[in-house]
Amino acid sequence: MHGIVRPKALVGERRSHGGTFARLLGLARANRAFILIVLLPTLIAAAYYELFAANQYESNADFIVRRADSMAASSNMGQLLGFNIGSGATGADAVLVQQYLLSHATVGELAAKDDLVGVFRRPEADWFSRLWFADPEPERLLAYYRRHVDVEADDSSGILHLTVHSFRPQDSYHIALQLLEMGERQINAINERTYRDNVASSLREMAQTRQQLAEIQTKLTAYRRAHQDVDPESTGKAQLTLVTGLTGNLIEARARLRAMGGVISHDSPQYRAMERQVRSMEEQLAGQSDKIAGPNQSVANRLSEYEQLVIQRDEIAKVYAETAVRSQAAQAEARRQQLYLIRVVNPNMPVKSEFPQRWQMIVSVFAGLFLAYAIGWLLWAGVKEHSM
């Protein structure tokens, strides 16, 4: 006997195992490109998402940006025609708030007040998902922030959808709440600037006109005090009435004097008394006439100066009334143009982690790599076919 005689069954079994392993090894060698390009990265992604990827919690909120005039129009007509809540939303204003919530200014304020960097560097965050730098540059922090915070606008309804991802439920809820409050403050600041720009000029013009009106009124008061006459115009009318009455009385007295002269002697006491009465009335009339139209401090001179002041006051008062109307119109227009941020859905406190979506990500990695492999294989097969 030479050597050891083995049972045929055992020899066959070893050959079977050796053949299976060889076939598997040959199959792996034949498809090594598929394994390296598709299967191995997919397995690595699966290991990461199933074993290492940290849970992330999402908080959502919905809001719209509308103007006061659109709110009034939609409240009146929308109830009749069935418009939705976003029908009065202003696209440009919504984009303005959207861009602000995703801007350096918002990130800087959150970083200063709410330790945004610490929120994105929680201990439970995995190495790949967390913010790597404890003191990142503003651009790097903004880029990371935009991967975890998103504001999308629905063009059909005008509603803005806010989503926040973080590694703790409280962080997501707090950031979403802060973003809504910051959006409201930004809207209020825009309203204040718009109101100030639209109304300030009309208010300044009205203040200047009011000052001019006060100055001319002061001159009128000083004039009345200087001449001890509250209403020179009424005084002038009274003087004219008095002169008219004296003139009539004088004419009547002269007529009686002439009639008396034809009947009695001019030396008679009655005639002389009547003559003295006529002279007295003439002197009184001359004095009153001098007060009305004389060269010194007459009613005519004083009334001319007074009327000029009154005309100036009336003109300025008319201008003031016009500026007041324009100011009221500007204020009303500014109020109509005011923006409002209306919360449709307040931020929610997440309870269950829904991100990352592990199986969806694994399938997406496999599908993407498989598609890339298939395209590469087709290209390589085409090159080989043309080279033969």
Side-chain angles (χ1 to χ4, degrees):
M1 297 179 62
H2 299 282
I4 299 175
V5 178
R6 299 177 183 276
K8 293 183 178 180
L10 292 177
V11 174
E13 182 178 355
R14 169 169 290 188
R15 287 178 180 175
S16 177
H17 285 307
T20 302
F21 178 76
R23 285 195 299 271
L24 291 176
L25 184 59
L27 183 63
R29 288 177 179 176
N31 297 278
R32 59 183 178 273
F34 179 80
I35 294 174
L36 292 176
I37 296 175
V38 179
L39 291 183
L40 184 59
T42 302
L43 291 175
I44 294 174
Y48 166 71
Y49 283 112
E50 291 296 332
L51 301 177
F52 300 103
N55 292 330
Q56 296 184 28
Y57 299 87
E58 180 182 86
S59 181
N60 299 277
D62 294 337
F63 61 94
I64 60 175
V65 179
R66 305 178 72 184
R67 291 187 181 273
D69 53 359
S70 64
M71 291 175 63
S74 62
S75 63
N76 295 332
M77 297 299 297
Q79 296 177 355
L80 298 176
L81 302 179
F83 291 163
N84 58 15
I85 190 171
S87 60
T90 306
D93 299 321
V95 171
L96 185 149
V97 177
Q98 179 187 31
Q99 293 301 315
Y100 171 74
L101 295 180
L102 298 175
S103 67
H104 279 287
T106 300
V107 173
E109 185 173 348
L110 288 175
K113 294 175 57 178
D114 300 298
D115 189 20
L116 187 63
V117 175
V119 168
F120 292 146
R121 288 176 56 83
R122 296 299 188 193
E124 53 266 38
D126 64 271
W127 189 82
F128 289 101
S129 299
R130 69 186 306 173
L131 180 63
W132 294 345
F133 305 95
D135 187 18
E137 298 86 354
E139 294 78 10
R140 191 184 301 275
L141 179 59
L142 177 64
Y144 186 89
Y145 168 85
R146 289 180 174 176
R147 292 200 298 270
H148 289 75
V149 176
D150 190 24
V151 182
E152 293 184 355
D154 189 337
D155 295 333
S156 60
S157 64
I159 297 178
L160 294 169
H161 305 281
L162 170 65
T163 58
V164 179
H165 290 179
S166 72
F167 304 103
R168 292 180 182 177
Q170 299 85 353
D171 291 339
S172 297
Y173 172 76
H174 180 71
I175 291 176
L177 194 62
Q178 286 293 101
L179 288 175
L180 285 180
E181 293 177 356
M182 292 170 66
E184 291 173 346
R185 290 199 299 270
Q186 181 68 6
I187 288 294
N188 293 334
I190 294 173
N191 288 335
E192 183 179 355
R193 287 196 299 268
T194 303
Y195 187 86
R196 185 172 60 247
D197 294 341
N198 292 342
V199 179
S201 59
S202 61
L203 290 178
R204 283 195 302 269
E205 185 180 0
M206 189 171 66
Q208 293 173 358
T209 310
R210 186 190 297 114
Q211 179 65 27
Q212 294 175 359
L213 187 60
E215 291 175 357
I216 197 66
Q217 191 64 43
T218 301
K219 291 181 180 179
L220 282 170
T221 302
Y223 179 88
R224 292 188 179 105
R225 290 177 178 176
H227 295 85
Q228 296 181 353
D229 192 350
V230 175
D231 190 355
E233 187 175 357
S234 298
T235 302
K237 291 180 180 179
Q239 291 287 343
L240 289 173
T241 303
L242 179 60
V243 169
T244 302
L246 288 174
T247 301
N249 293 335
L250 179 60
I251 294 172
E252 184 179 353
R254 285 175 177 174
R256 288 200 305 269
L257 181 62
R258 284 194 300 269
M260 187 179 294
V263 177
I264 63 175
S265 174
H266 288 187
D267 294 331
S268 64
Q270 295 175 348
Y271 184 86
R272 289 183 180 274
M274 191 63 189
E275 189 177 25
R276 285 194 299 271
Q277 183 180 359
V278 170
R279 284 198 298 269
S280 176
M281 294 177 67
E282 289 175 347
E283 292 175 358
Q284 186 179 3
L285 180 59
Q288 293 298 328
S289 297
D290 288 339
K291 289 181 180 180
I292 293 177
N296 298 322
Q297 298 297 322
S298 64
V299 173
N301 293 334
R302 289 189 287 112
L303 190 59
S304 175
E305 183 180 354
Y306 177 78
E307 287 178 344
Q308 290 179 2
L309 293 174
V310 171
I311 291 173
Q312 292 178 12
R313 182 194 64 184
D314 293 343
E315 290 178 349
I316 296 174
K318 185 183 296 183
V319 173
Y320 177 75
E322 293 175 354
T323 57
V325 171
R326 288 197 297 269
S327 177
Q328 292 176 358
Q331 294 180 38
E333 181 64 21
R335 285 191 292 268
R336 284 195 297 270
Q337 294 298 320
Q338 280 192 330
L339 298 174
Y340 294 91
L341 189 150
I342 303 175
R343 300 187 185 188
V344 179
V345 179
N346 283 313
N348 65 298
M349 175 67 75
V351 177
K352 179 182 177 181
S353 170
E354 297 181 348
F355 296 89
Q357 297 175 329
R358 291 174 169 82
W359 282 106
Q360 291 89 332
M361 296 300 297
I362 294 171
V363 171
S364 297
V365 170
F366 175 79
L369 293 175
F370 182 81
L371 181 62
Y373 174 80
I375 294 174
W377 183 83
L378 290 175
L379 293 175
W380 176 250
V383 170
K384 289 177 62 179
E385 183 179 353
H386 285 290
S387 62
M388 292 178 62

